[in-house]
Amino acid sequence: MSETQYELNVGLEVHVELATASKMFCRCKTKFGDPPNTNVCPVCMGLPGALPVANEEAVRLGVMAALALNCRVNLSSRFDRKNYFYPDLPKAYQISQFEEPLAVSGYVELASGKRIRIRRLHLEEDAGKSMHAGDDITTASYSLLDYNRSGVPLAEIVSEPDISSPEEAREYLEKMQRTLRFAGVSDVKMEEGSMRVDCNVSVRRKGEAQMGVPVELKNLSSFRAVTRALAYEYDRQSRLIEQGKRIARETRHWDEDKGVTVSLRAKESSQDYRYFPDPDLPRLELDEAFIESVQRAMPRLPNQVVDFYVNVLGLPKYDAEVLTVDPNLVKFFDRCVELGGEPKPVSNWLMGDIMAYMNAKGLSYDTIPVTPENLVAMLGLIKDGVISGKIAKDVLIKMFETGKAPGDIVKEEGLEQVSDDASLSVIVDSVIAANPEVVAQFKAGKDKVLGFLVGQVMKASKGRANPAKVNIMLREKILS
Amino acid sequence: MKIDVKHVADLARLKLSEDEMRRLEKDLESILLRMERLKALDVEGVEPTFGAGDVQRLVLDQDRPAPGLPREEVLKLAPSSEGPYVSVPREGTPGDAPQGSE
């Protein structure tokens, strides 16, 4: 089977929890990780007679997200009830926006320049969390419910089926995650569930006008799971088409361990959500002045930061992309540059030793263990020849561990570069004396062997010798 | 107008006897009949409304957390609970119904 005959069409539904302090329609706390059922009230428990009161900040963050994703915000939108029975939904309906969403017609632009269109962005409330007890048939089969998450504000962002490869899906999600993180609308953490992804996947023969039958994928708990599941579905569906078989319209569950998707349910049977306008909630009416105020408050978004780094600071595009993974990293970098740090060396140290250390320790970018002041001071020491780049790596580790200024560490540990002729001369002489064969080779014109001798001097000086000086001194002493 | 009582009952997770279904079919039909009469009214040029009352614009509240119900009280309201959780009979097989919000 030639797979290139087939085309993949993917649309993504992304849910993000909006970073409010209280819930969408009541003032219960939204804090992640609180003890079960401690942030609940009659509204989010769906008790009779309780009435929803909408959260202004959730609306503001929803508009912020919409603008950051290039959407058009509808000045008038409406809330509907989506009816279904599930224990994590105490009212037996979810308040969502169906007919008239908050925003429409946005896009995310990929590095290739291709735009993945966003069909709509709407506000809704999250459901509670259920844990299934007694997976064994012999034990009691029941579910345990925690309603702390019930009613937490969500923005649902639905793309058009413009994504045509697993890699594009990943890039779309990463770009969206960065943008929303920089806009400050959500934590967007897949691992904590503040960002969740469902896929609609279809496959068709290339050139065919009609889209294939969409299959919905669930349980995608990481970007990696998304790409793996899409690759698997592309394979499965194109093989079915090849065999002349029908693709069922269904929901499939990604099994991370086995690396396969399994059928959960036929779509037809459970799709009757009987949406209708929520009579408890009048229309959401916004005015231009409000939208403009949100636009004015918009923080710099990753694309703008990348442009600035490349065009103004002269950083390579690669560096700019790596640094914009997190707004705190950008803040740190910007501060270093403000303090007079040269952009490229600062970027090198951040992307190299600092990120490596932070990854190893599992630190997040809001707790970078050195200050911009100290990093810039360290770069100054290298530039002034006080320490070598190699010694600086050790100094940096000490800075992480002690929080001390690099100048103090260098003094206390006696790490200054040895540049004075008298001290260097002693070491250079001893290295020449110890390596007569190599010295002879160099004399015979084998220029490359000098590197070995420089290395020996560096070793003997415990990395503190000034390599440029050593180089010159060795040449002089051997050839004179 | 005919109504599929069995389908409606399934959606509402109700188990009905043949008798009840026959009775409800009649009731629901008479309700629909009333709606049909409303549909006959001329509403040309009248803005649709979706709620009762005078408030036509959603009132927004400030994002200030306030205490809800104590957990003991919440759990007392539930038919059954286990530890800090509300417990319910398992709904079909896992994933049989939409999980979480959709």
Side-chain angles (χ1 to χ4, degrees), chain A residues 84-85 92 274, chain B residues 5-16:
Chain A
Y84 64 90
F85 277 93
R274 294 150 293 145
Chain B
V5 180
K6 172 90 176 60
H7 178 62
V8 176
D10 281 348
L11 288 172
R13 300 287 202 273
L14 293 175
K15 211 183 258 174
L16 300 176

Side-chain angles (χ1 to χ4, degrees), chain B residues 13-100:
Chain B
R13 300 287 202 273
L14 293 175
K15 211 183 258 174
L16 300 176
S17 67
E18 289 292 317
D19 234 30
E20 286 171 310
M21 280 210 242
R22 261 194 301 279
R23 209 179 64 231
L24 280 165
E25 189 172 328
K26 262 192 170 155
D27 283 357
L28 289 169
E29 266 165 28
S30 76
I31 290 168
L32 285 182
L33 212 62
R34 255 192 139 76
M35 292 295 155
E36 287 297 315
R37 276 163 62 190
L38 286 176
K39 264 169 86 178
L41 291 172
D42 180 12
V43 289
E44 187 71 30
V46 179
E47 274 292 307
T49 53
F50 300 106
D54 300 330
V55 186
Q56 289 306 311
R57 185 189 168 119
L58 187 65
V59 176
L60 299 174
D61 191 17
Q62 287 194 328
D63 183 29
R64 283 208 197 108
L69 292 174
R71 181 160 71 197
E72 314 78 71
E73 233 172 277
V74 175
L75 295 181
K76 245 188 272 165
L77 289 168
S80 64
S81 63
E82 186 179 307
Y85 299 101
V86 171
S87 73
V88 298
R90 189 142 161 175
E91 170 76 7
T93 50
D96 216 17
Q99 281 204 0

Side-chain angles (χ1 to χ4, degrees), chain A residues 74-122:
Chain A
N74 287 324
L75 292 179
S76 182
S77 64
R78 201 182 76 197
F79 289 98
D80 301 288
R81 291 185 181 181
K82 177 182 184 176
N83 299 278
Y84 64 90
F85 277 93
Y86 203 68
D88 63 12
L89 192 72
K91 297 191 298 297
Y93 62 84
Q94 177 195 28
I95 304 175
S96 181
Q97 295 188 296
F98 185 59
E99 292 278 353
E100 301 180 56
L102 179 69
V104 294
S105 310
Y107 63 86
V108 167
E109 191 168 307
L110 306 182
S112 64
K114 177 176 173 177
R115 285 183 178 181
I116 307 300
R117 291 168 300 159
I118 290 169
R119 183 184 301 163
R120 51 184 284 148
L121 180 153
H122 67 255

